[in-house]
Amino acid sequence: MNSSQVYLLTRSGGVVKLIATAVIFLLLAGCSANPIYSTTGAVLSGYSEGEATPYVLQMSDPHMACSLGEGIDPLLYSFSRVTDAPDATGSLLMLLAGNCMEYRAWEAELAYLRADFEGNVPAAKDAREEAKRLNAKTAERRLTAFNRAMAAYEFDPAEEPLECPFLFSEQDELTFLLGLLTGMQAIVNDANSGALAGIPRNIAPQAERAAICVDNEKWGGLPNSIRALVWLLLPDTKPPMSPDPWAVLDHSSELGVKKGLRASLALEAVAAETFGRPEVLAETIAQFAASEDKVEVWDDYQLVDEVAAAVIRFSSDKHWTANYGHRTPQSYFGKMSPKRDTDSVETMSLDDLL
Amino acid sequence: MIRKSVAAVALAAVVPVASAKTVSMCVFDVIGVNGDLYNMVKDYALEMKAHGVDFELKPYTDEGVAVGDFNAGQCDAVAATDIRTRPFNRFTGSISAVGALPTYDDLKTLLATLAQPKAAPLMKENGYEVLGIVPVGAGYLFVNDRSIDTAGELAGKRMATLDYQKDAIHMVNYIKATVVPSDITNFAGKFNNGSVDTAYAPAFAYEALELYKGIGKEGGVVDYPLAQLTMQVIARDDVLPDAKAQTAREVAWGMFPQAMNLISGQEAAIPDEKWVKIPEKDIQGYQEMFRQNRLEMRDGLNGAPDVYHPKMLGLLSKIRCASNPASSECTAGNRE
């Protein structure tokens, strides 16, 4: 072996070493991830955010959408083991999965109210217990959705002074806003579960502060509705000189109808129930029912409007079940009692015919 | 025959509803229908339905208004904290006497004792009857500086004090701190923005009202219960017959574990390092100070309001001495 061969060998040995080091480094950096997995993860996350999410947000069937959340979330989010966690999409998927659990809790709640109306205490107790467990599950899912939404935009809701996140697209704004709302809902579910889920209650004041990061008019008054609800819950959080929270909720509801995104109405109904304002609840449900004919739903976010519609319908169903033992009959949606308006209808005299 | 049994079944199905007595109840919860307390009252109401009493619940987020509406006859019963229900029954209203129940075990003994049928006569006062007592959690002192851990260091400090809580005002004056009149809706803000140095509240407030902000890096929560807050259900005496009222109290007592679960969850939300432990020798001093105060407020001495019922103070003292017989108060000449 001549000296040049030796030189080449040692040189190539150096190259081999270099490559080996790089491979080891890459393997370590990828945490033993199969490169195909991480690529698939990146592709799936990108597809979900760019295509699937806008598609789902346009859907008109909240139940199908929520099933999608339950079914797809574990698959999509499992890619967080091999690539960056797909937090933005993950928060929406978990939000939908939370809705599924809540729909089950609603059915249990209605069963409880029905049994209570009938005086069947064991059945009422059973259903109430079931509702509590389902509420706890809903609360847990919603807390996850909230945390993912905050992580997606690297936003620390506890930070003071507040630093609004960069929200690049309309979808980002909505995802962030829904994240805040979902956090608040988690508290409500937790309370209704008998605090089984142990959700941190400071999400409410945090959401109140963060809601200013999103344009109120654009999002049908939803940001201000969130703030007003927190002002009612924690009067301390209400800034001096701000208007009466009930007036804000009212105004936001009108904005929601105009925008075709009636989530603010759902929040007003929840507030009315929470604070025992039956007249506001009746008015809100009536307003929602009346808006059905004239509202032009915001196509891109039809799902949000549909989810809000389900919340209002549940509010109405709870009232009907507690008072009459059954959910709202179809033609009575918007009314709080079976009293018909037929008394005032003008009639003709039959005297000539008799 | 078949028709007869059908009729009997139908009757049996109808009877519980028909015989249920409807009792309207004003229920206080700062968070209304979606609050933890309101939800607990819902469980109580459901349990009572099995005993033929149908409570119709009406939520109130302002305790003063709830009690006001009860006074005005808008509801047959009211569920509110004992600070507000004290005028209806001074005996049970003295459960929250300052420093009188230093442990939850002592509280458990007390509530079990009061739920006995034997205690029934003590549940009636001035035409009102107590239909149940459920713990809400001990009140703790929140401070913005950990060094404020003895009564001496509280002198001169500004303390958010509920303006309708006479015993607290007397206590604050006694330790020569400054009363800053507050209510439930604004005490947290005052503590968090630094306009008061200390505030007292159950653990619930730490997270929900963000009291950790007022605590900051220097402060903490003094790990000694100032008082045991309870929620009490009060009704006009004629609303329920005696046997039903006793059942109601037993049902409420049955909810003790549920309430304690809630409370321990709230207390666990306060991180360990935020609790300010006080040395055993200081605790004895505290206990004696609280005791002197209770005596003053039992007898209306030294300008104290006479708010505490002597019988309740006696019972509380018996419970304390049963769980801690070595305590000096147990041999003191002026035992409560």
Side-chain angles (χ1 to χ4, degrees):
Chain A
M1 203 181 275
N2 63 33
S3 64
S4 64
Q5 276 173 315
V6 171
Y7 172 75
L8 266 175
L9 262 178
T10 37
R11 266 205 66 169
S12 62
V15 170
V16 168
K17 254 189 214 162
L18 207 71
I19 292 172
T21 319
V23 167
I24 291 169
F25 184 74
L26 273 174
L27 277 177
L28 284 175
C31 292
S32 76
N34 181 324
I36 303 218
Y37 291 171
S38 31
T39 313
T40 313
V43 170
L44 260 185
S45 297
Y47 174 78
S48 300
E49 191 155 348
E51 301 298 331
T53 304
Y55 178 82
V56 171
L57 285 172
Q58 284 183 337
M59 282 169 66
S60 60
D61 185 341
H63 284 270
M64 189 185 274
C66 87
S67 304
L68 174 109
E70 283 194 313
I72 298 295
D73 180 81
L75 172 69
L76 183 77
Y77 215 75
S78 69
F79 284 101
S80 63
R81 293 165 63 133
V82 293
T83 181
D84 288 343
D87 280 322
T89 310
S91 100
L92 283 174
L93 285 171
M94 193 50 94
L95 177 160
L96 292 172
N99 285 355
C100 256
M101 197 52 82
E102 187 173 56
Y103 295 150
R104 288 173 207 135
W106 285 358
E107 285 307 315
E109 171 93 17
L110 292 178
Y112 147 64
L113 290 171
R114 216 159 36 235
D116 192 44
F117 178 84
E118 290 161 359
N120 185 347
V121 176
K125 273 191 189 176
D126 180 69
R128 183 154 160 73
E129 220 40 60
E130 169 85 344
K132 280 184 186 180
R133 291 179 197 181
L134 292 168
N135 266 304
K137 279 263 166 262
T138 311
E140 283 163 11
R141 288 185 182 183
R142 286 187 162 156
L143 178 63
T144 308
F146 169 78
N147 287 336
R148 285 184 188 172
M150 299 302 108
Y153 303 104
E154 289 168 9
F155 176 73
D156 176 5
E159 199 172 49
E160 283 190 45
L162 175 90
E163 210 174 298
C164 283
F166 288 108
L167 302 168
F168 294 106
S169 65
E170 207 167 62
Q171 193 172 304
D172 283 339
E173 289 176 32
L174 184 68
T175 308
F176 180 71
L177 184 57
L178 291 180
L180 298 178
L181 182 58
T182 309
M184 301 251 311
Q185 288 176 303
I187 300 178
V188 172
N189 294 124
D190 188 33
N192 288 325
S193 77
L196 280 176
I199 303 297
R201 302 290 162 107
N202 52 358
I203 290 179
Q206 290 174 352
E208 193 277 333
R209 288 191 290 270
I212 57 161
C213 296
V214 183
D215 188 283
N216 184 57
E217 296 267 330
K218 180 176 175 182
W219 294 105
L222 185 55
N224 276 355
S225 291
I226 293 176
R227 301 185 70 202
L229 184 57
V230 179
W231 296 345
L232 287 170
L233 291 170
L234 307 167
D236 241 5
T237 55
K238 184 172 174 285
M241 310 295 287
S242 58
D244 171 52
W246 291 105
V248 175
L249 284 168
D250 236 14
H251 176 67
S252 301
S253 290
E254 279 168 30
L255 269 177
V257 175
K258 265 191 214 149
K259 270 282 171 184
L261 191 86
R262 291 171 290 177
S264 304
L265 273 156
L267 244 72
E268 191 174 3
V270 169
E273 280 177 355
T274 304
F275 297 96
R277 298 280 187 106
E279 69 293 345
V280 179
L281 181 65
E283 208 179 287
T284 309
I285 294 173
Q287 192 186 354
F288 190 93
S291 72
E292 294 279 44
D293 296 333
K294 56 180 186 197
V295 71
E296 262 185 60
V297 174
W298 189 350
D299 267 348
D300 289 347
Y301 306 113
Q302 191 176 351
L303 186 67
V304 180
D305 190 71
E306 292 288 350
V307 169
V311 172
I312 298 272
R313 199 169 282 279
F314 175 60
S315 281
S316 172
D317 283 348
K318 261 193 293 186
H319 170 85
W320 276 81
T321 310
N323 290 287
Y324 308 105
H326 57 80
R327 36 192 108 204
T328 324
Q330 202 175 5
S331 59
Y332 286 84
F333 183 54
K335 295 190 175 71
M336 305 304 269
S337 81
K339 198 170 166 273
R340 282 203 174 274
D341 296 335
T342 43
D343 297 348
S344 53
V345 178
E346 200 181 332
T347 51
M348 302 306 279
S349 163
L350 290 176
D351 292 348
D352 300 346
L353 304 173
L354 299 171
Chain B
M1 174 66 189
I2 289 173
R3 196 186 293 168
K4 246 188 193 169
S5 44
V6 167
V9 168
L11 201 67
V14 168
V15 163
V17 184
S19 68
K21 182 180 167 50
T22 303
V23 178
S24 61
M25 194 198 308
C26 299
V27 182
F28 163 69
D29 188 315
V30 258
I31 311 183
V33 169
N34 291 316
D36 297 317
L37 292 182
Y38 191 89
N39 268 285
M40 211 144 63
V41 177
K42 260 168 99 173
D43 286 331
Y44 169 82
L46 186 52
E47 199 67 52
M48 284 308 293
K49 200 159 196 167
H51 297 286
V53 181
D54 188 0
F55 280 110
E56 260 180 22
L57 311 183
K58 200 174 163 201
Y60 285 79
T61 49
D62 184 324
E63 198 171 16
V65 178
V67 172
D69 274 11
F70 171 63
N71 267 328
Q74 305 252 357
C75 329
D76 304 318
V78 64
T81 62
D82 51 20
I83 301 172
R84 288 282 194 185
T85 60
R86 196 174 276 162
F88 303 110
N89 188 310
R90 200 165 156 196
F91 175 72
T92 59
S94 302
I95 293 175
S96 61
V98 287
L101 283 171
T103 68
Y104 285 123
D105 273 344
D106 286 350
L107 178 66
K108 191 176 182 181
T109 310
L110 172 73
L111 296 185
T113 308
L114 297 184
Q116 298 174 108
K118 243 189 189 166
L122 295 160
M123 298 296 136
K124 288 192 189 198
E125 219 175 274
N126 302 323
Y128 294 100
E129 182 160 22
V130 181
L131 296 185
I133 307 169
V134 181
V136 176
Y140 294 102
L141 190 66
F142 290 72
V143 294
N144 61 7
D145 178 352
R146 292 177 79 89
S147 65
I148 314 176
D149 60 351
T150 63
E153 275 140 8
L154 279 164
K157 302 289 183 217
R158 295 156 301 167
M159 190 185 269
T161 313
L162 297 183
D163 44 19
Y164 51 83
Q165 198 180 0
K166 288 182 189 157
D167 51 339
I169 293 174
H170 179 71
M171 189 72 217
V172 176
N173 285 329
Y174 181 90
I175 53 175
K176 301 201 166 47
T178 307
V179 170
V180 178
S182 309
D183 60 47
I184 288 184
T185 66
N186 64 21
F187 81 92
K190 287 180 182 172
F191 182 63
N192 288 344
N193 70 19
S195 49
V196 298
D197 307 300
T198 68
Y200 53 89
F204 159 77
Y206 179 80
E207 214 166 53
L209 304 178
E210 298 185 296
L211 290 191
Y212 48 81
K213 283 188 176 173
I215 287 175
K217 285 200 178 93
E218 311 294 325
V221 187
V222 179
D223 193 9
Y224 189 82
L226 296 178
Q228 293 290 351
L229 209 59
T230 58
M231 187 181 214
Q232 304 196 357
V233 181
I234 311 280
R236 264 172 274 282
D237 194 3
D238 53 2
V239 167
L240 290 186
D242 287 353
K244 285 268 188 265
Q246 178 56 29
T247 307
R249 286 190 289 272
E250 285 166 18
V251 164
W253 159 238
M255 297 179 72
F256 183 82
Q258 187 180 338
M260 284 313 298
N261 265 343
L262 197 66
I263 294 165
S264 49
Q266 290 161 353
E267 296 193 350
I270 301 179
D272 281 347
E273 69 274 13
K274 292 290 171 200
W275 287 103
V276 180
K277 306 267 185 239
I278 41 179
E280 196 55 38
K281 60 173 176 34
D282 289 356
I283 288 180
Q284 284 170 21
Y286 262 126
Q287 285 176 341
E288 185 53 25
M289 179 186 76
F290 283 134
R291 196 173 75 91
Q292 292 303 332
N293 258 276
R294 289 195 297 271
L295 291 172
E296 284 186 11
M297 287 191 270
R298 178 189 69 186
D299 305 331
L301 299 172
N302 297 333
D306 51 343
V307 285
Y308 295 151
H309 197 291
K311 277 188 188 168
M312 176 55 81
L313 293 191
L315 175 58
L316 295 172
S317 149
K318 251 169 85 178
I319 292 173
R320 285 194 306 276
C321 286
S323 65
N324 182 16
S327 170
S328 60
E329 67 157 321
C330 305
T331 50
N334 59 348
R335 259 192 83 172
E336 286 161 83

